[in-house]
Amino acid sequence: MKVVKENIAEILTDASGINIEAQKVEVSQGDRGDFSYPCMQLTKKLEKNPRKIAEEIKEKIDLGDTDFLDKIEVAGPGYLNFFVNRSEFGETVEKTLSTDGMGVDKRDGKVLVEFSSPNVAKPMHIGHFRNNVLGDALQRIFRFVGYDVTSENYIGDWGTQYGKLVYAYKQFGDEEELEKNPMEHLFHLYVKFHKEMEQDEELEEQGRKWANRIENEEEEAYGLWKKFREISINYHKNDYERMGVNFDRWTGESTMLEETDNALEEGVEKGVIQRDNDGSYFVEFEDLPTTVLRKADGTTLYLSRDIANLKKRKSVEGFDYNFYVVGSEQSLHFKQLFKICERMGLDTDGCEHISYGLLSLEEGSMSSRKGRIVRLSEVIDKAVEKAEEKISSEKAMKNAEEIGIGALKYANLSVTKQKDIMFNWDEILTFEGDSGPYLQYSNTRAKSILRKSSETPELIGEFTDDEFKLVKKVSQFPETVEQAVKQREPTKIANYLSKLCEEFNTFYHNSPVLKADLEDKKRRLKVLEMFEKVSSKGMELIGITPIDEM
Ligand code: ARG
């Protein structure tokens, strides 16, 4: 708990005469007290050996002046180990957790979290699952720490591929089929078009023609494009609803067209963007590949639209942070984007590409052009099916969806975002440890005990070792959330929750609650209450739904 670290740091500062920061105070491992400070950090400044420094500091501290420390020991090559007064510590933790922010520093600032951003006419695939889970957790965490967050789904709804789609529909489409199975039909057309194109290059040209027609808002082309866009959005909404993911706004590349033209002209004027003889625009870099921003036929590109979009978010809408949650395969894109914007003199402070690695199944990979993709909805279906196999009680069956999805979310978030992940269905659906179901299970168990008792939880008597270990783990919640914020890494919270539940289960295994003596019972109920509070909030922050029955 930060308050406690701050107190210790203050005592250390007074005793050593050197300003010692709270974050240098560590949570002890094993039985070396509760917190420690490595005096090795002071050897240079004090020009003494660390063991000696530790001894001298200890001499200067008068434990009579503080309520919250019981004992200080010098250990090893120069550690100061602090033993807190358990009751005082428990009270502090309990008080801190009952505040709104639960001990987490409040931040302010306008934050844009863009995530998901799927393309039109294709169902979301397994890679989007990782994106959605990560982006959603980030929006939840940023909001909790006080930022004014806007989450945005910036869909890929513009470009020559939609000309191809309109053409494919006119060639091979079926109105009835489009009514009945809209997304299936669009995806089928998409795949068919690419297959046909391999034989007939003329198709490419047709696609371009229809893309122009969409761009010029000609009735038929534009109408179909709009319809396909609508179909896709409705289809995606279903997936988001299942995942419990919400956006504050939906935008798309097609909303940026005018601004894009303006931004490109601005870039040309400023000498950042160059014009080629054929009329196309491009940018050269010292250390990155050259990129085109306007084709010879006048059409703009994905990257061009992002330039205009960045400018809008930063200069017009005034976001302090502009986060893009997008897979690592687009890191070059974002490097180029930020570089171009910087050169144009746009404000790029707080613009960050939050990237993540690949997610795959043991079953194999995908290629959407050939129609082989693992759909997001299939992945969820499979997880839910597996959850149903594992659930033993009738009553818990209604929670299979939440358990399956929780398992998937946890499996994504328990691995740092940069790393690739390969799913193993049995591992992610275990109820035993380090899994989504394990978090839900522990939380459910704590709640059920709390429900069964009519006693008022209260911090009285002395904590046992197991109780206190759990209290200490609970106390690390605020700093864990802060790490997650600083590193844009929900994994910090996921891993913390897993350890927290382990501690809970040890406690629960060793300490009867309902059958204990009144004093022990009241105290243990309080410990359970603190655990429940932190575990529920933690799960909420990573988008895993607590459930009532497992
Ligand atoms: N629609 C793009 C895709 O599916 C992702 C968009 C990412 N966001 C952005 N501002 N470029 O690959």
Side-chain angles (χ1 to χ4, degrees), residues 114 117-119 154 156 253 302 306 324 326 330 333-334:
E114 186 219 290
S117 308
N119 292 336
Y154 174 74
E253 293 179 46
Y302 172 58
D306 260 330
Y324 300 86
V326 182
Q330 293 196 28
H333 168 84
F334 285 101

Side-chain angles (χ1 to χ4, degrees), residues 308-500:
N309 193 12
L310 183 149
K311 182 176 173 190
K312 174 178 130 235
R313 289 177 185 171
K314 289 291 297 175
S315 323
V316 182
E317 299 179 322
F319 284 102
D320 301 298
Y321 292 96
N322 171 24
F323 294 126
Y324 300 86
V325 180
V326 182
S328 54
E329 69 281 2
Q330 293 196 28
S331 38
L332 173 61
H333 168 84
F334 285 101
K335 279 191 195 135
Q336 291 173 323
L337 170 65
F338 298 154
K339 203 26 134 322
I340 294 170
C341 291
E342 247 167 56
R343 284 199 200 156
M344 284 173 62
L346 302 175
D347 171 16
T348 56
D349 284 353
C351 292
E352 276 175 50
H353 172 205
I354 299 182
S355 81
Y356 56 88
L358 278 184
L359 170 62
S360 52
L361 300 177
E362 293 159 312
E363 291 90 308
S365 64
M366 54 186 176
S367 152
S368 67
R369 296 221 161 157
K370 301 223 164 86
R372 276 200 318 259
I373 64 164
V374 181
R375 296 183 187 203
L376 185 145
S377 54
E378 273 174 71
V379 180
I380 298 182
D381 289 343
K382 179 142 181 184
V384 174
E385 203 179 286
K386 292 268 175 194
E388 278 166 355
E389 285 167 22
K390 297 249 172 165
I391 294 170
S392 47
S393 94
E394 239 349 90
K395 276 199 257 165
M397 242 358 153
K398 66 172 190 307
N399 294 323
E401 173 102 358
E402 293 304 347
I403 295 172
I405 292 175
L408 285 176
K409 288 189 175 180
Y410 184 82
N412 269 281
L413 294 176
S414 63
V415 177
T416 95
K417 57 186 188 293
Q418 246 66 39
K419 266 200 183 159
D420 291 345
I421 303 178
M422 168 93 75
F423 266 1
N424 171 312
W425 290 106
D426 286 321
E427 259 170 41
I428 71 174
L429 274 147
T430 173
F431 285 25
E432 312 282 278
D434 205 27
S435 71
Y438 181 63
L439 304 190
Q440 289 170 320
Y441 176 70
S442 309
N443 180 270
T444 304
R445 198 162 216 192
K447 277 194 294 211
S448 117
I449 306 166
L450 286 166
R451 257 199 319 269
K452 280 189 195 132
S453 167
S454 51
E455 242 41 88
T456 317
E458 200 183 333
L459 286 182
I460 39 169
E462 290 284 314
F463 287 121
T464 62
D465 286 352
D466 284 324
E467 291 166 26
F468 193 61
K469 266 198 192 147
L470 179 54
V471 172
K472 273 198 339 197
K473 204 73 207 168
V474 162
S475 79
Q476 288 166 23
F477 176 72
E479 54 236 56
T480 306
V481 174
E482 290 186 358
Q483 278 181 341
V485 172
K486 280 196 199 115
Q487 301 175 24
R488 329 289 189 220
E489 184 58 287
T491 298
K492 293 282 164 204
I493 296 175
N495 292 342
Y496 163 75
L497 288 176
S498 170
K499 291 276 179 317
L500 176 72

Side-chain angles (χ1 to χ4, degrees), residues 40-259:
M40 300 64 148
Q41 299 186 353
L42 300 177
T43 26
K44 268 219 187 107
K45 277 202 183 128
L46 294 175
E47 293 177 340
K48 270 184 224 165
N49 100 32
R51 175 93 196 181
K52 184 121 187 77
I53 297 175
E55 274 157 8
E56 286 179 8
I57 293 181
K58 185 187 162 195
E59 274 310 298
K60 289 209 183 118
I61 299 174
D62 183 359
L63 286 181
D65 290 346
T66 72
D67 294 335
F68 78 96
L69 287 181
D70 275 354
K71 195 167 68 168
I72 302 178
E73 273 178 8
V74 173
Y79 283 100
L80 274 169
N81 292 341
F82 298 88
F83 295 74
V84 298
N85 178 288
R86 292 182 168 186
S87 315
E88 284 289 327
F89 186 79
E91 304 263 344
T92 307
V93 177
E94 131 93 340
K95 228 194 287 153
T96 309
L97 290 180
S98 28
T99 60
D100 260 2
M102 296 174 77
V104 180
D105 280 345
K106 282 276 163 213
R107 287 147 210 261
D108 63 341
K110 268 181 81 170
V111 171
L112 185 102
V113 183
E114 186 219 290
F115 70 102
S116 204
S117 308
N119 292 336
V120 159
K122 277 187 272 180
M124 283 195 274
H125 56 72
I126 180 170
H128 289 109
F129 190 88
R130 191 162 189 192
N131 183 309
N132 293 341
V133 172
L134 176 62
D136 186 44
L138 287 172
Q139 74 159 320
R140 288 161 182 266
I141 295 167
F142 290 146
R143 217 167 253 135
F144 176 63
V145 302
Y147 283 124
D148 173 9
V149 176
T150 302
S151 56
E152 174 172 330
N153 195 354
Y154 174 74
I155 62 173
D157 60 357
W158 202 249
T160 40
Q161 67 267 38
Y162 303 112
K164 294 177 185 169
L165 190 69
V166 167
Y167 176 71
Y169 178 71
K170 289 193 50 73
Q171 271 320 83
F172 323 109
D174 179 340
E175 213 178 317
E176 217 171 281
E177 209 30 52
L178 191 69
E179 281 305 311
K180 262 199 301 197
N181 286 315
M183 185 56 115
E184 296 311 314
H185 192 51
L186 289 186
F187 190 51
H188 160 81
L189 290 173
Y190 175 86
V191 175
K192 185 164 171 85
F193 182 88
H194 283 95
K195 213 190 266 158
E196 301 279 327
M197 209 174 64
E198 281 166 20
Q199 265 109 58
D200 185 356
E201 282 177 13
E202 164 65 12
L203 287 186
E204 181 95 51
E205 191 42 45
Q206 288 293 345
R208 213 161 316 158
K209 238 189 231 157
W210 281 92
N212 274 334
R213 291 182 180 148
I214 299 175
E215 206 156 325
N216 299 331
E217 300 190 21
E218 287 176 30
E219 202 178 317
E220 186 183 21
Y222 192 72
L224 282 171
W225 166 81
K226 241 171 122 173
K227 185 170 183 165
F228 298 162
R229 185 178 185 274
E230 222 31 59
I231 288 174
S232 307
I233 291 175
N234 286 333
Y235 182 90
H236 293 323
K237 277 191 175 153
N238 194 38
D239 284 341
Y240 294 128
E241 197 176 321
R242 270 186 102 180
M243 298 184 71
V245 169
N246 287 304
F247 298 96
D248 296 313
R249 66 187 199 194
W250 287 64
T251 61
E253 293 179 46
S254 70
T255 63
M256 293 309 309
L257 304 178
E258 224 187 286
E259 286 101 323

